[in-house]
């Protein structure tokens, strides 16, 4: 690739591909390309005709009034399939000149040369050019390939250069970038040399990447970067924007340790000879990696699973087992919650032939066939599940074997990659589920087939309900484990399950078999229920402790019971045991997961005993700090439930005073010293939890509020080594939590005069904090973020007038991104509460126009999380104009950004559901024709909800079957008639005599391109053509001299299958 | 005010010090008049005489002041002739011409001014007993000044060292400063308000987008850096309020060691590595090559 970049948001360049034919009859080459203007294509120095068609620019071509998400999703999936490089498709079709066919048949090398330019790209490359005085370098202008992990899998590199945009096509690379002399161009591979251009005003960076790498792993960043060579590893280079070098040094000071960890654990050297990290502004996602782990791929879940799994290992090593187990529980809870709510997450879908009943995930409103039709949330959950499944495999085969498998895969890959010019060997570098499983069985000798079948080939989690009874006569624990496998997102589990019983005489593990019909399991107890008070009680970890056993049931030796303590099933367990058992579990079980489960369970038992257990945990310094933090919130809930019988000062107040206040003056907090992180986190969390306390009038107790105000007043960070910005932000959060709805008489207008006295104090603090932030900004502006949330809460509770203008000003481009997101969150909330169409429009226009991709994505995400209305509620906001607006945005407006399009689809689903939005008038037609299956079906708009793909899920593979005539003017009418002949008459003729299937073709061939000067004319036509609507089309068709097609706008034409909808819109010229 | 002035004027005539000064002045006026006559003037305006008198007086005063300074430089207390000569030279006067001028023929002799008593400087108020000289100091040395001029006399109150009051004061002071400062900025610039009817009670400084917002959000302010340096030098652990170290620095926690080991290794590179830095071969540090000159065929 040779590319010249200009700071005027554009670039020109060319790509030269070397192709080794592996089949005869290679007369067409399909590549991926979007947004690029292709000037000319040459194959082995011969001009080649080419054809450019991007069906995803506009998903549904008909001016459809259907507005049905089912329809959209299937059309979109089809459009994406039509350019899927893994299926041999692409937007750019190059015809190999006939002179070279012979050469191709001899399997000789073909060199394809493509000249292209990129002007003001909307996606792929992101230009950040701050609008200030000075040269580009002084302004910190930079550009980078903006792509996230998910999109990388398939798609976004075609946005900035033509390529085979797939992980499965590996090749070696030579890259040249010419940029302004003040800039640095960072790309993949080894920087061979940097040379000035002849005018000495620009530099060309020459890169070589000798290791076969797929196009999605290639990226680029250009900017006036400061360069830091890693002091521990000189082959590692870090880059950041001007002035940020100190932060870079700090952030990267651990990198060498991480490197060592990975190389040690994989017993494999990092495959590339250099490593670069680049920090940019306005990034698409927080991290994206290129040309690093690219030797993995093929099956996404394996790749994501392994990287997540290794991350977990690193976490365990660096932060300890508690942190690791806490993380695993958190991730497990997350995936369980998502699947139970939204339906199953399928790691390894198999698609057999695109028949409607084969759709593996009918519960979703999008297709999981292609990564870029996936919802963002779903994809995150997919990653989460993948690494949890990897952990299950590890549990099964042991970590040692697991690492051996990784090592084996890596060494195979690196051997393959070192074999130059033997591209067939490079397939070893790709990782499929099959190869992974084979490697596991070779190394461990174990068959993990059932495990894979359960968690990888099948979606859903397991939902257990457990309860027990103790049979004193038989001294047996009768455990009952039921399952819910009928609700959405669940699956049935059959197999072993571990149950741990803590008895008086010790802790015992039992392996039970969950079978089809047996619910009850008898577990013999080891201990007699007699009580020997002197005796210490042995725990699972061998520790022996004294316990106060007075709370126990005198007849039972059971202290507590845990189901699947090792989290070796992806499950949710609802287990019933007595409150004292949970309390014992919280106090004496040493596993943090058990402690957290106990805390959650204790919320349902607001008793003095629970209070005591929680307080003891809070005070226990040996206890994991995250457990203690969770205990704070549980204690607040219990205190509220016990409000009428609560004795003593408000919960946690005396504890906080004892731990963090001065001994001589207990109302004053000590000056900050955050050297001990555990107590720092506790100090930060306790006020937030305390503020949730309520008295009998359901108000925050005066004591508590004054206490928090004092914490703010006496906060003194002058002698602290660490910044207190997060602590102060949490104190503001505490103020926010203390707010309760204002008592309002007759909806009076909120003014300063009728402000509640407490609220006045709070408001004064917030005003001061927010103003001080302008003079002394805190790190990441955390204080502003907290203040904005507080102000929204004040508005929502009716203390101050509800008004969006403040948030709008903070949401503008030019504020730090965290601040913008906080302001947008408030605006989204305002939109919902006030049902304001003005604000909704404001937000939607920002979605379309904001320069920062992340912010656009985030707005849609926030709207989905807190929707202004849903498909089940009525709202004045729900109207035809909004449907049209969103539809248009999904259909064509977001074509440059897969993620944004999926976000918009999500929002549409949230607002209107899968079927035709209820606010639209009923369609006139009851029947539509299905071209592909040659039958008439009920109009899907009137049909009840259907899974995606039920109407149509046929990829556009017909393109492959027929030769596209690129030489002559396309006879569109003939083509349409040809297709119409395929159609059998509908079975109910005469009922809708005007039913027509509308397909249109729009092909232009431009012969002979005389001068270079005509390029621009020709290219601008590409974009005109691709943005056309139907009237334009009709006109174009009319101009071709044939009769005009009757076009019935009311009629939702059959969701077109075949090539109708996605025919090429432009044929590039053939050179002389 | 006028009464006052007149009163003081009336008083002046009777004051002996005033009389002394007036007599001197009168003599100077006579001298000026004599010099004018000598130079051939027959009459002169009063204002002119007054001005010349003033100039003469300044000149003589300067000679005196300067001569005194010279003598004090050489650790004497009474000026000698040479002090005066040096002074005159310093003031740009040609001393050689002085004897001739003094012996000129047309010199007028002026009568000596009437003897008036030099005014007695009133004694300063003495406080306490003056110390007598110790044995090793000769008696001709000046006397000791009043004891209050050199003895430390504690006149201030005991400073407030009560911890609670100090904290209270510091907190209040900071809050007042912050409030005053933000209110000032708010009053002098653009503001936003949470209430439509009242824009002054809770004025918010308007949010202004910046061109490179990440700089201020990520980099610590100068103030913070300064504070950090101060903390570093004054060793966090030696906190003076003594209350602090007790509860906060819990170290018997088993996890504490782990956490501490996670602290950044003070950001400094080991010295052995640092010395190798000179020989780092990193492609981004290499100089940019000049373009090859294309040879014309």
């Amino acid at each position: 690739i040779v590319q010249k970049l200009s700071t005027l948001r554009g670039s020109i360049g060319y790509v030269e591909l070397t192709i080794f034919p592996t089949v005869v009859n290679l007369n067409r080459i399909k590549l991926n390309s979007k947004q690029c203007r292709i000037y000319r294509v040459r194959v082995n120095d011969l001009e080649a005709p080419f054809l450019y068609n991007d069906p995803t620019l506009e998903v549904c071509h008909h001016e459809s009034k259907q507005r049905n998400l089912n329809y959209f999703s299937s059309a979109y999936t089809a459009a994406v399939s039509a350019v899927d490089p893994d299926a041999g498709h692409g937007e750019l079709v190059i015809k190999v000149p006939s002179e070279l066919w012979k050469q191709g048949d001899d399997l000789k090398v073909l060199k394809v040369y493509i000249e292209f330019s990129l002007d003001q790209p909307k996606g792929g490359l992101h230009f950040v050019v701050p609008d200030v005085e000075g040269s580009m370098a002084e302004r910190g202008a930079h550009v980078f390939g903006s792509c996230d992990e998910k999109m990388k899998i398939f798609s976004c590199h075609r946005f900035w250069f033509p390529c085979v945009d797939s992980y499965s096509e590996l090749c070696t690379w030579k890259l040249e970038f010419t940029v302004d002399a003040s800039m640095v161009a960072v790309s993949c591979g080894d920087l061979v040399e940097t040379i000035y251009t002849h005018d000495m005003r620009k530099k060309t960076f020459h890169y070589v990447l000798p290791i076969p790498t797929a196009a999605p792993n290639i990226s680029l960043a250009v900017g006036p970067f400061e360069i830091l060579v890693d002091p521990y590893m000189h082959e590692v280079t870090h880059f950041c924007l001007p002035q940020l070098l100190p932060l870079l040094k700090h952030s990267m000071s651990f990198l060498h340790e991480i490197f060592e960890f990975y190389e040690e654990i994989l017993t494999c050297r990092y495959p590339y000879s250099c490593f670069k990290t680049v920090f940019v502004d306005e990034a698409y996602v927080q991290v994206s990696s290129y040309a690093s782990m690219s030797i993995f791929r093929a099956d996404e879940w394996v790749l994501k699973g392994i990287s997540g799994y290794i991350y977990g290992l690193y976490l365990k090593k660096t932060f300890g087992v508690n942190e690791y187990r806490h993380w695993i529980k958190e991730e497990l809870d997350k995936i369980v919650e998502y699947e139970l709510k939204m339906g199953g997450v399928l790691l390894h879908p198999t698609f057999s032939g695109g028949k409607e009943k084969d759709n593996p995930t009918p519960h979703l409103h999008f297709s999981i066939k292609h990564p870029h039709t996936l919802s963002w949330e779903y994809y995150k959950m997919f990653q989460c599940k993948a690494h949890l499944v990897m952990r299950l495999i590890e549990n099964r085969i042991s970590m040692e074997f697991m690492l051996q498998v990784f090592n084996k895969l890596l060494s195979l890959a690196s051997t393959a990659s070192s074999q130059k010019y033997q591209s067939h060997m490079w397939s070893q570098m790709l990782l499929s589920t099959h190869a992974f499983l084979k490697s596991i069985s070779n190394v461990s000798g174990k068959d993990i087939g059932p495990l894979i079948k359960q968690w990888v080939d099948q979606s859903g989690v397991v939902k257990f309900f457990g309860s027990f009874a103790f049979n004193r006569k038989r001294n047996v624990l009768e455990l009952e484990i039921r399952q819910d496998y009928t609700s959405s997102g669940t699956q049935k589990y059959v197999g072993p399950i571990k149950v741990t019983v803590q008895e008086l005489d010790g802790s015992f593990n039992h392996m039970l078999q969950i079978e089809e019909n047996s619910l009850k399991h008898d577990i013999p107890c080891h201990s007699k229920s007699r009580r020997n008070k002197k005796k210490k009680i042995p725990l699972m970890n061998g520790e022996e402790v004294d316990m106060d056993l007075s709370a126990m049931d005198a007849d039972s030796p059971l202290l507590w019971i845990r189901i699947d303590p090792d989290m070796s099933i992806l499950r949710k367990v609802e287990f019933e045991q007595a409150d004292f058992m949970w309390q014992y579990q919280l106090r004496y079980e040493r596993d943090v997961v058990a402690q957290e489960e106990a805390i959650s369970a204790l919320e349902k038992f607001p008793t003095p005993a629970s209070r005591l257990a929680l307080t003891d945990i809070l005070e226990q310094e040996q206890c994991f700090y995250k457990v203690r933090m969770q205990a704070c919130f549980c204690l607040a809930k219990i205190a509220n439930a016990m409000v009428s019988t609560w004795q003593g000062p408000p919960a946690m107040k005396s504890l906080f005073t004892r731990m963090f206040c001065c001994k001589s003056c207990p109302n004053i907090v000590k000056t900050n010293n955050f050297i001990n992180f555990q107590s720092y986190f506790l100090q930060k969390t306790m006020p937030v939890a305390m503020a949730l306390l309520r008295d009998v009038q359901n108000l925050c107790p005066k004591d508590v509020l004054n206490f928090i105000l004092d914490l703010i007043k006496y906060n003194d960070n002058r002698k602290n080594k660490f910044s207190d910005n997060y602590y102060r932000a949490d104190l503001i959060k505490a103020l926010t939590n203390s707010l309760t709805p204002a008592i309002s008489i007759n909806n009076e207008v909120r003014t300063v005069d009728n402000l509640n006295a407490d609220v006045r104090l709070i408001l004064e603090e917030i005003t001061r904090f927010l103003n001080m932030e302008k003079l002394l900004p805190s790190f990441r502006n955390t204080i502003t973020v907290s203040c904005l949330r507080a102000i929204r809460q004040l508005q929502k509770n009716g203390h101050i007038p509800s008004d969006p203008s403040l948030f709008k000003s903070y949401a503008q481009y030019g504020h730090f991104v965290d601040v913008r997101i906080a302001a947008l969150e408030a605006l989204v909330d305002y939109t919902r509460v006030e049902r304001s169409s003005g604000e909704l429009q404001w937000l939607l226009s920002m979605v379309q126009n904001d320069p920062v991709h992340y912010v656009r994505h985030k707005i849609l995400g926030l709207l989905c999380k807190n929707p202004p209305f849903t498909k089940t509620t009525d709202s004045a906001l729900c109207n035809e104009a909004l449907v049209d607006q969103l539809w248009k945005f999904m259909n064509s407006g977001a074509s440059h950004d897969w993620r944004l399009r999926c976000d918009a689809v999500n929002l549409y689903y949230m607002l209107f559901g899968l079927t035709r939005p209820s606010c639209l008038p009923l369609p006139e037609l009851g029947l539509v024709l299905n071209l592909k299956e040659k039958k008439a079906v009920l109009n899907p708009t009137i049909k009840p909800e259907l899974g995606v793909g039920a109407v149509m899920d046929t990829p556009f593979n017909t393109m492959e079957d027929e030769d596209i005539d690129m030489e002559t003017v396309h006879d569109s009418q003939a083509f349409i008639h040809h297709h119409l002949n395929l159609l059998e008459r509908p079975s109910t003729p005469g009922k809708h005599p005007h039913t027509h299937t509308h397909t249109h073709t729009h092909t232009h061939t431009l012969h002979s391109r005389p001068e270079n000067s005509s390029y621009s004319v020709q290219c601008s036509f590409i974009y005109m053509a691709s943005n056309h609507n139907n009237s334009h089309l009709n006109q174009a068709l009319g101009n071709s001299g044939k009769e005009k097609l009757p076009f019935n706008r009311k009629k939702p034409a059959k969701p077109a299958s075949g090539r109708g909808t996605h025919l090429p819109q432009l044929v590039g010229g053939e050179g002389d | 005010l006028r009464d006052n002035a007149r009163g003081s004027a009336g008083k002046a005539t009777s004051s002996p010090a005033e009389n002394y000064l007036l007599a001197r002045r009168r003599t100077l006026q006579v001298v000026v008049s004599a010099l004018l006559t000598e130079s051939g003037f027959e009459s002169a305006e009063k204002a002119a005489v007054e001005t010349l008198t003033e100039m003469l007086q300044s000149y003589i005063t300067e000679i005196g002041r300067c001569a005194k300074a010279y003598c004090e430089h050489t650790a004497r207390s009474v000026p000698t002739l040479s002090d005066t000569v040096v002074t005159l030279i310093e003031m740009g006067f040609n001393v050689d011409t002085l004897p001739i001028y003094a012996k000129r023929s047309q010199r007028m002799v002026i009568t000596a001014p009437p003897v008036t008593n030099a005014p007695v400087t009133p004694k300063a108020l003495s406080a306490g007993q003056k110390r007598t000289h110790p044995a090793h100091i000769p008696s001709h040395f000046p006397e000791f000044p009043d004891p209050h001029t050199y003895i430390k006399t504690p006149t201030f109150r005991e400073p407030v060292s009560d911890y609670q009051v100090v904290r209270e004061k510091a907190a209040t002071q900071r809050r007042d400063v912050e409030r005053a400062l933000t209110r000032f900025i708010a009053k002098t610039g653009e503001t936003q308000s949470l209430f439509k009817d009242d824009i002054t009670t809770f004025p918010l400084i308007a949010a202004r987008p910046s061109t490179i917002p990440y700089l201020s959000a990520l980099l610590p302010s100068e103030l913070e850096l300064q504070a950090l340096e101060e903390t570093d030098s004054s060793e966090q652990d030696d906190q003076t309020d003594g209350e602090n170290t007790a509860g906060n620095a819990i170290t018997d926690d088993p996890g504490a060691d782990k956490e501490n080991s996670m602290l950044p290794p003070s950001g400094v590179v080991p010295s052995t590595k640092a010395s190798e830095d000179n020989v780092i071969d990193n492609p981004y540090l290499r100089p940019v090559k000049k373009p090859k000159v294309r040879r014309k065929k």
Side-chain angles (χ1 to χ4, degrees), chain A residues 969-989:
Chain A
V969 175
H970 200 91
D971 188 345
S972 43
Q973 280 297 288
F975 175 76
I976 290 163
H977 285 299
H978 170 69
H979 268 246
L980 282 174
N981 288 337
L982 293 175
L983 182 75
E984 278 178 7
R985 294 292 156 210
S987 52
T988 49

Side-chain angles (χ1 to χ4, degrees), chain B residues 122-134 141-151:
Chain B
K123 257 200 165 172
L125 178 74
S126 67
Q129 284 283 217
K130 273 188 186 169
R131 255 177 90 180
T132 50
H133 283 159
F141 276 89
E143 289 180 321
F144 272 104
D146 284 347
H148 76 265
T149 58
Y150 59 90
I151 282 174

Side-chain angles (χ1 to χ4, degrees), chain A residues 578-637:
Chain A
D579 58 344
F580 68 85
M581 297 176 85
W582 289 118
Q583 287 151 12
Y584 281 124
Q585 179 172 335
L586 173 59
R587 282 171 195 261
Y588 300 109
E589 171 62 64
R590 296 299 183 231
D591 179 12
V592 291
V593 175
Q595 293 170 358
E596 286 169 11
E597 281 165 2
I599 291 175
S600 311
L602 282 178
E603 281 178 15
K604 288 181 223 94
F605 300 101
T607 59
S610 299
R611 175 185 174 183
L612 197 63
L614 288 164
T615 320
D616 286 351
I617 280 292
L618 262 181
E619 283 187 278
Q620 197 153 51
E621 276 144 19
Q622 281 81 8
C623 184
F624 185 52
Y625 74 101
K626 283 186 177 165
V627 171
R628 295 166 80 190
M629 285 161 73
Q630 199 193 336
C632 293
F633 291 98
C634 182
L635 196 53
K637 279 187 190 145

Side-chain angles (χ1 to χ4, degrees), chain A residues 130-132 139 184-187 191-198 200 203 207 227 229 231-232 234 236-237 239 241-244 247 250 254 276 281 317-320 621-622 625 659-660 662-665 667-673 675-679 712-716 718-723 750-752 755 760 763-765 767-768 770-772 774-781 791 800-801 803 806 809-810 812-816, chain B residues 163-165 167-172 174-175 177-179 181-183 185-186 192-198 201-221 223-224 227-228 230-232 234 236-241 243-256 258-265 267-270 273 276-277 279-294:
Chain A
D131 188 15
V132 281
R139 286 151 66 170
V184 180
V186 187
S187 185
L191 176 64
V192 182
E193 57 183 0
T194 316
I195 303 175
Y196 278 114
T197 52
H198 284 276
M200 298 293 279
K203 288 190 287 199
Y207 284 91
I227 298 169
V229 177
Y232 297 90
H234 292 171
V236 173
T237 322
F239 302 87
L241 292 167
Q243 299 183 51
L244 297 179
L247 287 177
H250 180 78
F254 290 110
K276 292 152 233 148
D281 187 25
K317 185 206 162 214
T318 314
F319 297 100
E621 276 144 19
Q622 281 81 8
Y625 74 101
M659 292 169 86
F660 303 110
C662 304
K663 288 201 177 66
S664 58
C665 35
N667 64 323
I668 297 180
V669 66
K670 288 175 195 167
T671 57
N672 296 340
N673 181 356
I675 200 87
N676 180 317
F677 289 160
Q678 284 101 328
S679 56
I712 294 173
K713 181 177 170 187
Y714 293 114
N715 178 46
D716 185 343
R718 282 174 300 179
K719 290 181 174 166
N720 199 0
K721 194 166 157 183
F722 300 93
S723 167
R750 288 290 147 191
T751 59
V752 178
L755 210 56
R760 185 178 280 272
L763 198 51
E764 221 154 87
E765 294 300 333
T767 311
R768 197 168 45 83
L770 196 54
N771 283 340
M772 275 310 287
K774 302 283 185 309
L775 311 175
L776 287 174
S778 61
F779 181 66
R780 297 190 74 99
N781 296 346
I791 290 171
I800 60 174
D803 180 12
L806 183 80
S809 70
Y810 279 96
Q812 275 171 358
Y813 181 66
H815 287 284
F816 189 64
Chain B
Y163 185 72
Q164 185 172 352
V165 181
R167 288 291 303 273
E168 173 77 46
K169 223 173 179 176
T172 321
R174 201 195 52 202
R175 172 170 297 215
V177 168
E178 286 184 4
R179 189 176 295 147
L181 183 63
T182 50
R183 293 219 155 213
I185 304 270
Q192 289 166 320
S193 174
L194 298 171
F195 297 89
K196 286 207 169 69
D197 57 328
D198 184 338
T201 317
F202 298 104
L204 294 174
I205 302 172
R208 206 167 287 133
S210 81
T211 42
I212 309 182
Y214 59 83
L215 284 183
S216 69
L218 296 181
L219 294 173
S221 67
L223 200 83
E224 269 181 292
L228 196 68
E230 279 165 20
T231 357
D232 279 354
S234 69
Q236 170 113 30
D237 296 357
D238 305 342
Q239 292 216 356
T240 42
D241 56 66
E243 297 274 353
N244 223 340
T245 41
N248 267 356
I250 306 150
T251 45
D252 50 0
D253 193 317
K258 187 148 215 110
E259 293 264 24
N260 285 340
S261 67
M262 282 313 299
L263 290 175
V268 196
V269 177
K273 290 273 179 187
E276 286 169 17
D277 275 8
V279 291
I280 294 178
D281 180 34
N282 185 292
Y284 292 93
L285 302 181
R286 284 178 211 145
V288 181
K289 290 181 187 166
K290 294 263 164 66
K292 287 170 203 153
V293 184
R294 253 185 246 147

Side-chain angles (χ1 to χ4, degrees), chain A residues 25 54 82 93 166 209 217 251 358 471 508 649 655 703 800 806 864 902 1009 1042:
Chain A
N25 293 331
D54 182 359
V93 181
S166 158
L209 185 54
N217 275 322
S251 310
D358 291 333
N471 188 324
F508 303 96
L655 200 64
D703 265 11
I800 60 174
L806 183 80
C864 283
C902 295
R1009 188 183 49 202
K1042 310 281 172 182

Side-chain angles (χ1 to χ4, degrees), chain A residues 117-141:
Chain A
S117 84
L118 200 58
D119 184 29
Q120 309 264 345
K122 284 185 186 158
L125 277 189
H126 185 68
F127 287 82
V128 182
V129 185
D131 188 15
V132 281
E133 292 288 307
S135 73
M136 283 297 166
E138 282 159 7
R139 286 151 66 170

Side-chain angles (χ1 to χ4, degrees), chain A residues 116-117 146 431 490 506 706 795 834 904 906 991 994:
Chain A
F116 68 95
S117 84
S146 62
L431 181 58
T490 57
N706 286 340
Q795 292 187 351
E834 309 291 331
N906 259 358
K991 200 172 178 185
H994 297 296

